[in-house]
Amino acid sequence: MAKALPRSPLAQPLPRLLPVAGVRLGAVAAQIRYKDRTDLMMMEFVPGTTAAGVFTRSKCPGAPIDWSRAALAQGKARALVVNSGNANVFTGRAGVIATQISAAAAARVVHCPATEVFLASTGVIGEPLDAERISDAMPQLYEALSPEGWEDAARAIMTTDTFPKAATRQVEIGGKTVTLQGIAKGSGMIAPDMATMLGFVVTDAAISHDVLQSLLREGTERSFNAITVDSDTSTSDMVLVFATAQAGHDEITSLTDPALAAFREALDSLLLELALMVVRDGEGATKMFTVRVSGAVSDESAKKIALAVGNSPLVKTAIAGEDANWGRVVMAVGKSGEPANRDTLSVAIGNVWIARQGTVVEGYDETPVVAHMKGQDIDIQIDLGLANGHAQIWSCDLTHGYIDINGSYRS
Amino acid sequence: MAKALPRSPLAQPLPRLLPVAGVRLGAVAAQIRYKDRTDLMMMEFVPGTTAAGVFTRSKCPGAPIDWSRAALAQGKARALVVNSGNANVFTGRAGVIATQISAAAAARVVHCPATEVFLASTGVIGEPLDAERISDAMPQLYEALSPEGWEDAARAIMTTDTFPKAATRQVEIGGKTVTLQGIAKGSGMIAPDMATMLGFVVTDAAISHDVLQSLLREGTERSFNAITVDSDTSTSDMVLVFATAQAGHDEITSLTDPALAAFREALDSLLLELALMVVRDGEGATKMFTVRVSGAVSDESAKKIALAVGNSPLVKTAIAGEDANWGRVVMAVGKSGEPANRDTLSVAIGNVWIARQGTVVEGYDETPVVAHMKGQDIDIQIDLGLANGHAQIWSCDLTHGYIDINGSYRS
């Protein structure tokens, strides 16, 4: 985390970020783990802000996950505090107290109940988090908050990330312009078991907690829950959405409200853009690949098969080696445990069908596939030929860089 | 496969191998994929030999898996033919015909029904297997069979293996000395979803097909089904046991026969020894590790948790890096999806309890753990503190060597 890793070859530049009415944000160096590294980020929301969240499914989550899950129950938010030095995981009773101290410190400066403060942490596991550093830094951090603080915030939540991640959208609701803007971090332990990284989205739309929660849950399924780097799932991670209701339109309180259509689409594409940035920053990644599965017995089955392929070390190393090794794709389909029939299975790479109905396509010419494998974005298609279930996931290759990053002493 | 890989630092020498009454074996170069590489192995068994087998659970198995599964139905064996150049997987109707041609060629020289010939293949996927090469080589191969052919056989089935694998045992049944001897191959795609490599064991004991099948199934659960290299499962692999009934004792036809006790123990330990050799030859492996889980809600749950830890890329890279990163162990327990409670969880490395009941042990001294991590055999213990379920699995570290082997063009 302290090491300066080379920037991912798949990195993307930050887009131009806009203020979002109703939120002020910023970051400071609170010396949580490393000296003089910006490691504490805060957002303050206007009263009336609604919240939605999805959390890691880990059975051993960190104390901040428990805290934010509880905060979400009442659906309102006044502040978010994120530290990127210590995950506050497996820290027992001391970890619970650390969350209380952190939330209380934010509540004091914002003048709100501590239960309206959301917390997130990422970093080392099993070491006590000294929450006094968060309390001590809080007044200075609060002074630093500004509607323009987005880039600082995006940088402050990075750990092994090699580039800051943010995305932005504007749509209309009831004749009013609404902004959605989000930041994310993550580069390893990115596995689809929600939520395996940190993502924070703020919008000035007015949307009730229930509706926002449904939108986030659906959008996550096809974005943050459809990416994988190494199949490992973090104990700490979450995606939160806050709606400040400052855009001036009538509050949306029903999922079937037609005024919601454009917003839903914008949120979905924003979540996907952020999620794909996480894959682009996959530890050691030099190529991205997508796996599209069709013809499965159900969408759920298709997703499991797609993830079996996306997580297979043999597929991931083949992609790193620019090897159109479709045999490994067949192997991964077979090991998924999902219904598949070798004699109806078809595989394409770069839109060239290599195998159809369980056997190599006659006269298959590898030339265009070899060319496709040399690119940065690899496309694998699998048709199971059984029914209509389909899914798409994104992953990255497995390279020496991954070993370098994770095989050295205590990251 | 053709590349000469450096011998695994965890390799073990071949033990002294004995003839086993009732089997003759040998190998030749049949030019199946590589020129002048010994790639075709055969065993001939005396009439009356019983067989048992476990097979890959892949949904896309190769044609030889289908063939041998069918052969097993009648429980008798006269021959085994194994090629190590072409897996004959995803080869459609041509693949089925190739198995028929191969079995018929062996049946011809042995003078037995083709249904008593077992087949196994390992190698490239999706390329047609030219079975004529197997037929053509058969007479010469049959001439080469001998009771002394064990080492040749062990070498002929190797693919990316860096050392030949064999193990041997002797026990008494009814006052007669009985020999059990086996060979194995495997170094990648070794995941516990049975059977993810090739293992062939021959004994001169007299044991009925049903009893042999039960013994193999049980023994596999704690050996070949308790190892993992990269979580990938092959389309081709199997473990077969043949009993030639030449030792001279009365045939054992009941699992509860007391005369079976020593044999069962010997078979279990033989299977485990072979399975651990496969882990020792894990692609790129420099260290082995075992994960022992106790206190789980069931043995099955314990095994799933142990495998989640054993398969985690972050745990595997930490072991490669000699990093006693128990936080990654906690992460992997959490992601397994099995019942776990962070506040009753304990973790030990090298028999030193680092964390107990959800928090770091007070005064934890890393020194002996750091020393343990520098060794070649790493021991991880996890106590869930919930109930009495327990399990043990074996895995190896994830290193640059794995990437080198699998990330280069078409292995």
Side-chain angles (χ1 to χ4, degrees), chain A residues 97-160:
Chain A
I97 293 169
T99 58
Q100 291 167 341
I101 294 172
S102 305
R108 222 161 23 236
V109 293
V110 173
H111 301 293
C112 72
T115 52
E116 294 183 8
V117 177
F118 286 73
L119 300 176
S121 294
T122 174
V124 70
I125 288 179
E127 295 187 10
L129 167 63
D130 181 0
E132 302 297 337
R133 299 199 179 177
I134 294 177
S135 309
D136 291 351
M138 195 53 71
Q140 184 205 341
L141 174 56
Y142 192 71
E143 278 305 306
L145 299 188
S146 121
E148 315 288 341
W150 282 94
E151 181 171 342
D152 288 350
R155 292 187 186 280
I157 61 173
M158 292 165 65
T159 58
T160 50

Side-chain angles (χ1 to χ4, degrees), chain B residues 87-128:
Chain B
N88 192 14
V89 169
F90 222 60
T91 43
R93 179 89 201 115
V96 176
I97 293 169
T99 58
Q100 291 166 340
I101 293 172
S102 305
R108 219 157 30 234
V109 293
V110 174
H111 301 294
C112 71
T115 53
E116 294 183 8
V117 176
F118 286 73
L119 300 176
S121 294
T122 174
V124 70
I125 289 180
E127 295 188 8

Side-chain angles (χ1 to χ4, degrees), chain A residues 403-404 406-410, chain B residues 286-287 314-325 328 370 373-374 397-399:
Chain A
I403 311 283
D404 284 335
N406 291 300
S408 56
Y409 190 74
R410 197 66 51 88
Chain B
T286 65
K287 292 169 192 282
L314 286 173
V315 170
K316 290 162 71 77
T317 48
I319 288 177
E322 305 189 338
D323 176 8
N325 195 326
R328 294 186 183 177
V370 168
M373 294 300 295
K374 294 191 190 300
D397 58 351
L398 173 58
T399 68

Side-chain angles (χ1 to χ4, degrees), chain A residues 57-63 66 89-93 96 125-128 188-189 193 230-235 283 308 311-315 317-318 320-328 330-343 345-347 355-360 366 370 398-411, chain B residues 57-63 66 89-93 96 125-128 188-189 193 230-235 283 308 311-315 317-318 320-328 330-343 345-347 355-360 366 370 398-411:
Chain A
R57 289 193 192 126
S58 171
K59 303 282 178 177
C60 301
D66 289 348
V89 169
F90 221 62
T91 44
R93 181 88 200 115
V96 176
I125 288 179
E127 295 187 10
M189 289 206 294
D193 231 341
D230 59 10
S231 84
D232 278 336
T233 300
S234 163
T235 49
E283 290 170 343
N311 278 323
S312 161
L314 286 173
V315 171
T317 48
E322 305 188 339
D323 176 8
N325 195 326
W326 61 275
R328 295 185 183 178
V330 174
M331 175 282 300
V333 171
K335 79 161 178 169
S336 72
E338 291 300 306
N341 180 340
R342 149 190 99 192
D343 299 325
L345 186 62
S346 301
V347 176
R356 273 206 192 273
Q357 312 267 315
T359 186
V360 181
E366 208 176 35
V370 168
L398 173 59
T399 68
H400 287 294
Y402 184 85
I403 311 283
D404 284 335
I405 294 166
N406 291 300
S408 56
Y409 190 74
R410 197 66 51 88
S411 62
Chain B
R57 289 193 193 125
S58 172
K59 303 283 177 177
C60 301
D66 289 348
V89 169
F90 222 60
T91 43
R93 179 89 201 115
V96 176
I125 289 180
E127 295 188 8
M189 289 206 294
D193 231 339
D230 59 10
S231 84
D232 278 335
T233 300
S234 162
T235 49
E283 289 170 343
N311 278 322
S312 161
L314 286 173
V315 170
T317 48
E322 305 189 338
D323 176 8
N325 195 326
W326 60 276
R328 294 186 183 177
V330 173
M331 174 282 299
V333 172
K335 81 161 175 168
S336 72
E338 291 300 305
N341 180 339
R342 151 188 99 193
D343 299 325
L345 186 61
S346 301
V347 176
R356 273 206 192 274
Q357 311 268 315
T359 185
V360 182
E366 206 175 37
V370 168
L398 173 58
T399 68
H400 288 294
Y402 184 85
I403 311 283
D404 285 334
I405 294 166
N406 291 301
S408 57
Y409 190 75
R410 196 66 50 90
S411 62

Side-chain angles (χ1 to χ4, degrees), chain B residues 26-362:
Chain B
V28 291
Q31 326 289 343
I32 290 166
R33 184 168 161 83
Y34 298 110
K35 213 167 151 4
D36 298 330
R37 186 194 175 292
T38 307
D39 57 6
L40 189 66
M41 186 276 277
M42 180 175 188
M43 294 189 186
E44 181 197 34
F45 310 107
V46 292
T49 296
T50 56
V54 287
F55 300 93
T56 179
R57 289 193 193 125
S58 172
K59 303 283 177 177
C60 301
I65 293 284
D66 289 348
W67 179 275
S68 292
R69 239 189 215 124
L72 190 64
Q74 43 80 36
K76 285 193 156 49
R78 287 299 312 285
L80 166 71
V81 178
V82 184
N83 88 75
S84 59
N86 184 316
N88 192 14
V89 169
F90 222 60
T91 43
R93 179 89 201 115
V96 176
I97 293 169
T99 58
Q100 291 166 340
I101 293 172
S102 305
R108 219 157 30 234
V109 293
V110 174
H111 301 294
C112 71
T115 53
E116 294 183 8
V117 176
F118 286 73
L119 300 176
S121 294
T122 174
V124 70
I125 289 180
E127 295 188 8
L129 168 63
D130 182 0
E132 302 296 337
R133 300 201 178 178
I134 293 177
S135 309
D136 291 351
M138 195 55 70
Q140 185 205 341
L141 174 55
Y142 192 72
E143 279 305 306
L145 300 188
S146 120
E148 315 289 340
W150 283 92
E151 181 171 344
D152 287 350
R155 291 187 186 281
I157 62 174
M158 291 165 66
T159 58
T160 50
D161 301 63
T162 73
F163 63 96
K165 300 170 182 70
T168 189
R169 296 285 185 280
Q170 284 192 320
V171 291
E172 291 216 341
I173 299 183
K176 304 287 183 183
T177 297
V178 164
T179 304
L180 302 87
Q181 194 158 277
I183 58 176
K185 72 127 297 210
S187 56
M189 289 206 294
I190 305 306
D193 231 339
M194 198 63 276
T196 50
M197 35 70 67
L198 300 179
F200 307 111
V201 177
V202 184
T203 176
D204 50 7
I207 299 179
S208 71
H209 160 68
D210 304 5
V211 171
L212 201 60
Q213 185 66 31
S214 295
L215 292 178
L216 174 60
R217 204 168 285 289
E218 285 168 25
T220 302
E221 218 33 67
R222 288 183 300 273
S223 58
F224 288 109
N225 266 348
I227 60 171
T228 181
V229 167
D230 59 10
S231 84
D232 278 335
T233 300
S234 162
T235 49
S236 300
D237 295 347
M238 64 178 87
V239 177
L240 301 175
V241 180
F242 303 97
T244 64
Q246 299 298 296
H249 64 83
D250 293 340
E251 188 184 31
I252 294 180
T253 56
S254 161
L255 258 184
T256 56
D257 191 327
L260 204 56
F263 181 87
R264 184 197 303 254
E265 202 175 295
L267 180 64
D268 282 357
S269 83
L270 179 81
L271 291 171
L272 182 57
E273 184 177 342
L274 289 172
L276 295 188
M277 283 182 195
V278 171
V279 179
R280 290 187 172 279
D281 208 4
E283 289 170 343
T286 65
K287 292 169 192 282
M288 261 186 97
F289 66 102
T290 185
V291 183
R292 291 181 285 157
V293 172
S294 58
V297 295
S298 68
D299 289 356
E300 200 193 349
S301 178
K303 193 162 178 183
K304 283 189 185 158
I305 290 168
L307 285 169
V309 176
N311 278 322
S312 161
L314 286 173
V315 170
K316 290 162 71 77
T317 48
I319 288 177
E322 305 189 338
D323 176 8
N325 195 326
W326 60 276
R328 294 186 183 177
V329 175
V330 173
M331 174 282 299
V333 172
K335 81 161 175 168
S336 72
E338 291 300 305
N341 180 339
R342 151 188 99 193
D343 299 325
T344 60
L345 186 61
S346 301
V347 176
I349 297 178
N351 287 314
V352 175
W353 290 94
I354 300 174
R356 273 206 192 274
Q357 311 268 315
T359 185
V360 182
V361 170
E362 202 155 340

Side-chain angles (χ1 to χ4, degrees), chain A residues 182-347:
Chain A
I183 58 175
K185 72 128 295 209
S187 55
M189 289 206 294
I190 304 307
D193 231 341
M194 200 64 273
T196 52
M197 35 68 68
L198 299 178
F200 307 111
V201 177
V202 185
T203 175
D204 51 6
I207 299 180
S208 71
H209 159 67
D210 305 4
V211 171
L212 200 59
Q213 184 66 31
S214 295
L215 292 178
L216 174 60
R217 204 169 286 288
E218 285 167 26
T220 302
E221 218 34 65
R222 288 183 301 274
S223 59
F224 287 109
N225 266 348
I227 61 171
T228 180
V229 167
D230 59 10
S231 84
D232 278 336
T233 300
S234 163
T235 49
S236 300
D237 295 348
M238 64 178 89
V239 178
L240 301 174
V241 180
F242 303 98
T244 63
Q246 299 298 296
H249 64 84
D250 293 340
E251 187 184 31
I252 294 181
T253 57
S254 161
L255 259 183
T256 56
D257 191 328
L260 204 56
F263 182 87
R264 184 196 303 253
E265 202 175 295
L267 179 63
D268 282 357
S269 83
L270 179 80
L271 290 171
L272 182 58
E273 184 177 340
L274 289 173
L276 294 188
M277 284 182 195
V278 171
V279 179
R280 290 186 171 279
D281 208 4
E283 290 170 343
T286 64
K287 291 169 191 282
M288 260 185 98
F289 66 102
T290 185
V291 183
R292 291 182 285 156
V293 172
S294 60
V297 295
S298 68
D299 289 356
E300 200 193 349
S301 178
K303 193 163 179 182
K304 282 189 187 158
I305 290 168
L307 285 169
V309 176
N311 278 323
S312 161
L314 286 173
V315 171
K316 289 162 70 78
T317 48
I319 288 178
E322 305 188 339
D323 176 8
N325 195 326
W326 61 275
R328 295 185 183 178
V329 175
V330 174
M331 175 282 300
V333 171
K335 79 161 178 169
S336 72
E338 291 300 306
N341 180 340
R342 149 190 99 192
D343 299 325
T344 60
L345 186 62
S346 301
V347 176

